[in-house]
Amino acid sequence: MRNSSSDTARNLRGLFDQELKDIYWVEKELTRVIPGVIEKVTSEDLRDALTHHLRETENQVRRIEDVFDALGERAEEKTCHAMEGILKEADEIMQETEQGLVRDAGIIAAQQKVEHYEMATYGTLCSYARIMGEERIESLLNETLQEEKNADATLTEIAVSKINIEIT
């Protein structure tokens, strides 16, 4: 049950735990979804960027499991309804656009929404970890935060220097 007393955050550590379970689900779901997105891409640069980020995402799953270990907890995920909506929207974009650069531009837009959600979550988790005095955990999470920022920057570069220019 979603609002049970055991699921209700009562302090910063409770909020941290909820966000960690949420992002764990997100990263695991993305390892399942990204390969299908890669199949629909036509731009080689975009395909390479998404393939690289898929490998990073697989490592991010393991890194989150390391965070759970550092906390002495079993890795547990909680469905992220916000990301479900973002991924549903991404799927609609892929279904409603013809294969080619317009679809690639839509995929970039959708993927950047994913990256921004992840950056917000990892930024929050880093802040909570710092406040809780969990330096090792903050370092692990910050590594992923930097990867997400880099992925977003790469997507922006591909969009503005190639794909968006070619479809105008």
Side-chain angles (χ1 to χ4, degrees):
M1 187 184 303
R2 193 163 173 80
N3 291 323
S4 70
S5 61
S6 64
D7 193 37
T8 302
R10 302 198 183 284
N11 53 36
L12 190 62
R13 174 61 191 270
L15 286 172
F16 180 90
D17 289 347
Q18 285 184 356
E19 290 297 316
L20 188 63
K21 291 173 185 176
D22 177 273
I23 200 68
Y24 185 49
W25 181 91
V26 167
E27 298 295 9
K28 289 178 77 174
E29 185 68 7
L30 289 172
T31 63
R32 186 187 69 74
V33 170
I34 292 173
V37 175
I38 292 169
E39 290 177 7
K40 296 189 182 316
V41 168
T42 57
S43 162
E44 193 65 35
D45 289 333
L46 181 54
R47 181 177 294 109
D48 291 347
L50 291 173
T51 300
H52 173 76
H53 195 57
L54 174 59
R55 287 191 301 271
E56 283 183 332
T57 303
E58 291 164 348
N59 289 330
Q60 292 165 359
V61 168
R62 288 188 284 281
R63 199 174 295 133
I64 292 171
E65 290 167 349
D66 290 345
V67 170
F68 278 110
D69 286 344
L71 293 168
E73 296 179 12
R74 179 180 61 83
E76 183 180 340
E77 48 186 279
K78 178 182 84 170
T79 302
C80 175
H81 299 292
M83 186 58 69
E84 280 184 323
I86 292 170
L87 294 175
K88 181 178 184 231
E89 182 179 301
D91 188 57
E92 289 171 359
I93 288 170
M94 289 185 293
Q95 299 301 323
E96 295 171 1
T97 55
E98 290 184 27
Q99 185 170 357
L101 293 177
V102 172
R103 179 184 287 170
D104 287 355
I107 287 171
I108 289 173
Q111 186 62 37
Q112 286 190 293
K113 288 178 184 182
V114 168
E115 298 307 327
H116 284 240
Y117 180 88
E118 290 176 305
M119 288 186 294
T121 301
Y122 282 111
T124 298
L125 286 167
C126 286
S127 176
Y128 290 173
R130 182 172 35 268
I131 291 167
M132 294 184 310
E134 297 284 358
E135 292 176 16
R136 179 171 180 271
I137 290 171
E138 180 186 1
S139 177
L140 289 167
L141 295 168
N142 191 54
E143 185 176 349
T144 299
L145 176 59
Q146 295 312 310
E147 290 171 350
E148 302 299 1
K149 288 179 178 181
N150 291 341
D152 181 58
T154 298
L155 291 168
T156 296
E157 178 61 25
I158 293 168
V160 300
S161 69
K162 296 178 180 165
I163 293 174
N164 293 353
I165 291 171
E166 292 178 30
I167 61 175
T168 54

